[in-house]
Amino acid sequence: MSAREERQALTSRTTSLSDYALFRHGIEPDGRVPRKGFPLPDGSPPPEPGRNDLTRQQAQAEVTDALTPLLADPDPVRAAEAVHRRVAEPAVNRRSLRAHTARLALGDEDAARRTARQLIRTGTDAAAVGVGMALLVRLGGPEDVPCLKALGHRTTPPAPRA
């Protein structure tokens, strides 16, 4: 008798935000987008983590320290996973994270572009996808427009209720 080969664990079945946006567009290609956008795939708004007590300079320094080394990684899959983990515990809110990411000084723009493409195509966290979008708006090419357009118009999280 021979031993059965063990297979690797199945990957997460969480839908990427890009796939979800394309799905929404497919079921409502000419439909109106709600003013606040569609909810995220799990139906609930993501939490808005982060502190608002940071100055703009402090927030920029934290984003720079957190993301710059990750975006220089030549392996976009590994870098995107690291960005996902890192933005899950930010000291700044998502809106500030996207704004400061767009202004990052990047040593390797090609590596950052590859990581951004990986983030927007496979990302499951709104903050990580937002980082990818902020980078691709600056570094992307014509081939990135359909994905950015789908994400920008179809997956805006609803505003928190007061």
Side-chain angles (χ1 to χ4, degrees):
M1 243 197 221
S2 61
R4 277 181 50 186
E5 281 188 45
E6 289 188 35
R7 36 181 236 191
Q8 293 178 332
L10 296 174
T11 58
S12 170
R13 297 214 185 258
T14 305
T15 303
S16 74
L17 295 183
S18 176
D19 288 343
Y20 177 67
L22 292 172
F23 166 75
R24 292 300 306 214
H25 181 67
I27 61 174
E28 300 175 42
D30 296 323
R32 290 188 53 173
V33 177
R35 190 172 82 79
K36 297 287 186 177
F38 291 109
L40 294 175
D42 65 2
S44 63
E48 182 64 41
R51 301 186 326 245
N52 289 324
D53 61 341
L54 297 175
T55 66
R56 192 180 66 173
Q57 291 81 12
Q58 290 170 324
Q60 180 68 46
E62 290 204 20
V63 171
T64 300
D65 293 345
L67 296 182
T68 301
L70 303 178
L71 296 172
D73 188 339
D75 180 358
V77 174
R78 182 177 55 220
E81 289 172 358
V83 169
H84 258 91
R85 284 190 304 273
R86 195 62 189 252
V87 299
E89 50 194 54
V92 296
N93 63 43
R94 272 196 318 277
R95 188 170 168 187
S96 293
L97 178 66
R98 285 189 308 268
H100 294 302
T101 297
R103 291 190 287 270
L104 284 176
L106 301 167
D108 186 350
E109 288 187 353
D110 288 335
R113 183 181 305 107
R114 288 189 303 270
T115 300
R117 287 178 175 151
Q118 181 72 19
L119 285 167
I120 68 163
R121 290 188 173 99
T122 64
T124 58
D125 177 76
V129 173
V131 166
M133 289 176 69
L135 290 168
L136 278 186
V137 164
R138 179 174 135 200
L139 303 172
E143 66 275 14
D144 300 310
V145 171
C147 197
L148 286 171
K149 185 176 178 182
L151 284 167
H153 289 271
R154 303 288 180 195
T155 59
T156 305
R161 296 184 186 237

